[in-house]
Every structure is written in structure tokens, then in C-alpha cells.
Amino acid sequence: MDSPFSMITKRDLLLALKDPQCKLVHGEAENLGFRTCEWTLYEQVAVAAMDCQSIDVAKDCIKVLQRKFPGSKRVGRLEAMLLEARGLWSEAENAYSSLLEENPFDQVVHKRRVAMAKAQGNTSAAVVWLNKYLDLFMSDHEAWRELAEIYVSLQMYKQAVFCYEELILSQPKVPLHHLAYADVLYTLGGLENLQTAKKYYASTIDLTGGKSTRALFGICLCTSAIGQLTKGRNKEDKDSSELQSLSVMALEKDYKQRAPSKLSGLSLTLRSLKI
């Protein structure tokens, strides 16, 4: 079946240009009388065509932009992306490197290098590029999260912990960060990590209003693991018995409402954890 973009014609583009919402762009393009939606449309179609591997459509769109905006860095990014879409990895890397030499703070190009490394299955290179990107743009939360997930996939849990700590510092009210951080600490194991994981599972429950089933299970798993390590000698763990009981009650209530047929399985699981 043909790609949906294989049917795009000049007539389709011209019809879109008649949109009354189009406005003149600022700067040089405005002086030339170009309309924003016209060239944005060419750019968007080029990117979409590359996503769909409709290389010929992408080439045609980029050629139009090259003629209108010779020497444009924005068009240069599209040219590099076209090389990437064609699988010409070394040529694309050279093009991105050239663009970064001219503008080391081009976020799009930095992100394309990460995406290209991941597309080739070169996870280690993706880690290197992401770290270089974060050296420049430390407030990019999505980049920190992506780096953390890559570290987890590589079982580099201590590095993932650092990433999630950065996320929690910058976005302390996002429960997903607390939950992911607790998961990694639980995976690392050890009494100190388990106790900290339990605290962050609890903060996840607090931030979600008690609606995080995963965090409730996390409390139970941490309680069981801490109990096995301390064998009842940990006074702090005894003080948290109320939290454990509330977690179990919340899980049982949730299962009764949403999956009553699995309630017996839940009870068996909790008993196996000696809770």
C-alpha cells in the first residue's frame, strides 16, 4: 500500500496555501512576500515524508526550500535529516557536525544525533551525545528522562539514579519521577536503598492521591525486603507498620472495585511476602 504522502501533489500544496489563516512571516521572508504557512507546509511535508520513507516526496519539498532559502541553516537540517532517512549515517553525521560548528547551541541538531545513534542501535553513542547535550541544556527534563531510561535498559542503575534525582529536583511535583526513582533504588537493593525507595513510593502515593497501584505494591515489596534483611531488628521499620497496613487496605479496596476476580490472587501474593 502506498504511503499517504505518496499522493501529495503540487495541487494539494497550492490548495493549502489558500488558507485564509496564513500570515506573512517576519524578517527576510516577509520582505520577499513569502507566507509562513507555505514554507512551513513544505517543511512539515518533508519531515512527514521522511518518517514514512517517501524519500522522493521529501527530496522535492527540500529542493523547493533550497531554491527559496539558499544557505539556510534550517534547510540544512532538513538536508542532513534526508541523509539520515536514506541510511547514509556517516554523511548525515558529517552534516550535523558541520551545522554544530556554525551553531554549537542548535538543540534540534543535538537531538538528531541522539536519534540517529539510537536508530543504528548504538546505545553507547546515544548516551555520549545525550550527556554532551545535557552539558549545554541542563534544564531539558525530557532529555534527563530519556537518558535515565537508557541507563536502566543498560542496567547502569547508579547512573539512572543520578538522572532521576535531577528530575526530582527540577520537577518535584511529578509523581512519575518519584516512582521511577523508587523502582531503580529497589532494583539496586541494600537496606539504605530500600528504605529510600519506600519513602519515594510513599511520596508517589501522596502526589497521586493514593491512586498509584504500582507505588502501593512498591511499599509492600520494600517492607518485605527490609524485613528479610533486618529480621525485625529495624526500629524504623516497626514505626512504619501503619503505612504498610494502609497500603494493603488500599490495594484490596482497589482490586475489589476494579478486578474482583483477581482479589484472591492478590491475597496470596501479599501472604507470600509475609505482610
Side-chain angles (χ1 to χ4, degrees), residues 5 42-52 58 61-62 78 81:
F5 292 99
Y42 276 110
E43 182 182 34
Q44 291 175 344
V45 171
V47 174
M50 285 185 273
D51 284 342
C52 297
C61 293
I62 293 173
L78 289 175
M81 289 172 65

Side-chain angles (χ1 to χ4, degrees), residues 47-60:
V47 174
M50 285 185 273
D51 284 342
C52 297
Q53 281 297 299
S54 296
I55 303 300
D56 290 339
V57 175
K59 283 182 179 178
D60 291 341

Side-chain angles (χ1 to χ4, degrees), residues 186-201:
Y186 175 80
T187 303
L188 277 171
L191 182 58
E192 185 178 349
N193 286 329
L194 289 169
Q195 289 173 334
T196 305
K198 189 172 182 179
K199 292 176 182 177
Y200 278 89
Y201 281 129

Side-chain angles (χ1 to χ4, degrees), residues 60-226:
D60 291 341
C61 293
I62 293 173
K63 283 179 181 178
V64 172
L65 293 170
Q66 287 171 331
R67 287 196 296 269
K68 291 296 183 182
F69 304 101
S72 166
K73 303 299 183 293
R74 188 165 171 176
V75 177
R77 288 201 299 260
L78 289 175
E79 294 168 358
M81 289 172 65
L82 182 61
L83 293 170
E84 184 183 343
R86 293 170 60 193
L88 302 174
W89 307 116
S90 59
E91 290 88 339
E93 175 58 33
N94 290 336
Y96 287 136
S97 297
S98 177
L99 289 167
L100 286 176
E101 286 177 6
E102 297 178 17
N103 180 13
F105 301 101
D106 190 326
Q107 285 185 277
V108 175
V109 174
H110 280 287
K111 289 182 178 182
R112 287 314 315 164
R113 293 177 99 178
V114 175
M116 189 168 67
K118 292 178 70 175
Q120 295 176 82
N122 191 349
T123 310
S124 58
V127 169
V128 171
W129 294 131
L130 264 174
N131 275 297
K132 288 184 177 180
Y133 171 79
L134 286 166
D135 285 340
L136 297 172
F137 307 101
M138 291 178 284
S139 61
D140 191 327
H141 307 128
E142 290 302 318
W144 280 113
R145 184 173 178 179
E146 183 173 2
L147 182 58
E149 290 173 354
I150 292 176
Y151 278 139
V152 169
S153 71
L154 296 173
Q155 299 182 6
M156 299 172 69
Y157 299 118
K158 291 183 179 179
Q159 291 85 345
V161 163
F162 175 80
C163 295
Y164 284 122
E165 286 173 346
E166 289 291 327
L167 283 168
I168 291 171
L169 282 172
S170 58
Q171 294 182 309
K173 297 296 185 180
V174 178
L176 287 176
H177 300 337
H178 291 248
L179 181 61
Y181 182 53
D183 283 343
V184 176
L185 288 172
Y186 175 80
T187 303
L188 277 171
L191 182 58
E192 185 178 349
N193 286 329
L194 289 169
Q195 289 173 334
T196 305
K198 189 172 182 179
K199 292 176 182 177
Y200 278 89
Y201 281 129
S203 67
T204 303
I205 294 169
D206 183 47
L207 289 169
T208 58
K211 295 180 180 179
S212 176
T213 302
R214 187 181 183 92
L216 291 168
F217 269 116
I219 293 289
C220 297
L221 289 169
C222 286
T223 299
S224 176
I226 291 170

